[in-house]
Amino acid sequence: MNRHARQQAVPGIGPEGQARITAAHALVIGAGGLGVPVLQYLVGAGIGRITLLDPDRVEVTNLHRQPLYGVADIGRPKALAAAEALARLDPGLRIDARPVALDAAMAPGLVAAADVVLDCADSHAASYILSDCCLAQGRPLIHAAALGMSGHVAGLCGGAPSLRALFPDPTAAGQTCAEAGVLGPVVGMLGCLQAQMALQVILGLRPSPLGLFTALCDGRLTQFRLDGAPERDGPRFVARAMLRSEDLVIDLRPEAEAPRKATPDALRLPGYGATGPLPRPGARAVLACRTGLRAWRAANDLARRWDGEIALLALGEDET
């Protein structure tokens, strides 16, 4: 009671609202620049249960924007280091920390078990996988992305439009924080906003943050509503475990990037899309690359000359 006394004093929360927060289960994908403030403020608010996924290890270059970690954590799995630090904030927290990457095979079960989903992954593949699952299951998704000194937060699904309605295709450059850089307070601000929106969803406060898009650009915040935005179709991500024997698997990575192909039977064709072999009638094309961005572009090219099913496979760093 003492820990959350100031929070319960906020109109619309009180003991009943605090009980809803304590009973809530949040799925958080990513324990980096966005995930750190999300985790800290959800735990500070008294959330009862968190499932956390992140495949990365703490690096010295993370510390300027991920203050949950210290020098002693360098080299440790982020998910496990975060779980230890969060347990010190609130020993009563139940946290299932998994040092693995999200994929399309595990996502439906994880989403179904959560009350609210937070996308802090810095991964186009993870973002679209989460959005597709949340839309199908009616779960609220709080999505965010940041790069340089800009970024955005959006309340999606759960009755609001999905990420595909907002961005039918991944945003253009596909750069990462390692390539383009990022300012620590930018991800801190956006992650705090994600946590705030998640708490509003848990508490059922009005107006709902679902359907709200907030952009940060040149130090200015702008907002607009997404209500009524039409859903868009597009290629779906699959996991390695979801491949079929009849799939035509195309590995878009050159051999210098990935000596081992996506599957033993995959065709290595870095320029595939506008040209190249087509799947047999009734079969599926599966386009594979590291992040899914090259696969998405190749899928758009392939769709212009073939109307069959196309799936995307993001293999990540550990498959190279």
Side-chain angles (χ1 to χ4, degrees), residues 61-238:
T61 56
N62 301 147
L63 300 184
H64 84 283
R65 66 189 186 281
Q66 299 172 24
L68 191 62
Y69 311 115
V71 172
D73 293 315
I74 293 172
R76 299 185 62 206
K78 281 186 182 179
L80 303 184
E84 287 186 12
L86 295 169
R88 290 193 293 270
L89 290 175
D90 186 350
L93 170 70
R94 290 181 296 158
I95 182 164
D96 177 9
R98 309 183 192 185
V100 298
L102 180 81
D103 68 29
M106 68 176 74
L110 292 171
V111 167
D115 298 302
V116 62
V117 180
L118 293 106
D119 171 20
C120 311
D122 191 27
S123 161
H124 289 295
S127 294
Y128 283 93
I129 289 169
L130 288 174
S131 179
D132 291 342
C133 287
C134 287
L135 182 67
Q137 298 187 29
R139 288 291 190 273
L141 171 64
I142 311 299
H143 157 80
L147 202 64
M149 297 182 66
S150 301
H152 64 262
V153 181
L156 305 171
C157 305
S162 75
L163 185 63
R164 291 181 186 271
L166 180 60
F167 298 119
D169 289 295
T171 48
Q175 291 180 299
T176 66
C177 292
E179 297 161 342
V182 65
L183 192 65
V186 169
V187 286
M189 181 186 307
L190 297 175
C192 286
L193 186 54
Q194 278 186 282
Q196 168 70 14
M197 293 169 71
L199 291 170
Q200 286 180 262
V201 168
I202 291 167
L203 291 165
L205 299 181
R206 294 290 182 265
S208 172
L210 300 179
L212 180 66
F213 179 86
T214 303
L216 173 64
C217 185
D218 296 328
R220 298 179 181 178
L221 286 173
T222 57
Q223 293 184 318
F224 61 85
R225 299 287 308 181
L226 305 170
D227 307 294
E231 290 297 333
R232 307 294 183 89
D233 199 8
R236 263 43 179 184
F237 284 93
V238 296

